[in-house]
Amino acid sequence: GLYLIELRTSRPRASLPLSSSVRYMASAPDGKHLAIGLHDGHLLICDAADLRVVRKLSGHTDGITALAFSPTEPLICSKSDDY
């Protein structure tokens, strides 16, 4: 799973159980969302405050190897080893 740790207390603030391992993560420029690329090719968009999944995207057939948020547009780019 994935844990969100409160740095002041070193205690978990939130957790997210996952059915596949994390391969890559990226934070949105505004800090409000996290993108989590999984080994099974799924892409999760989560609320950064509580790890609540707000979108689950599919399309890749192999694990995600890179993610990037656009600094100016509501876009995310994902890369995988699939062809």
Side-chain angles (χ1 to χ4, degrees), residues 1 3 5 7-8 13 21 26 33-34 41 47 50-51 55 58 60 64 66 70 73 75-76 83:
Y3 290 90
I5 306 295
L7 292 178
R8 291 176 300 193
R13 179 193 298 177
S21 60
H33 293 96
L34 295 173
D47 187 298
D50 59 10
L51 295 180
R55 296 229 170 119
S58 59
H60 288 296
I64 292 175
S70 167
E73 300 290 328
L75 299 171
I76 187 166
Y83 298 98

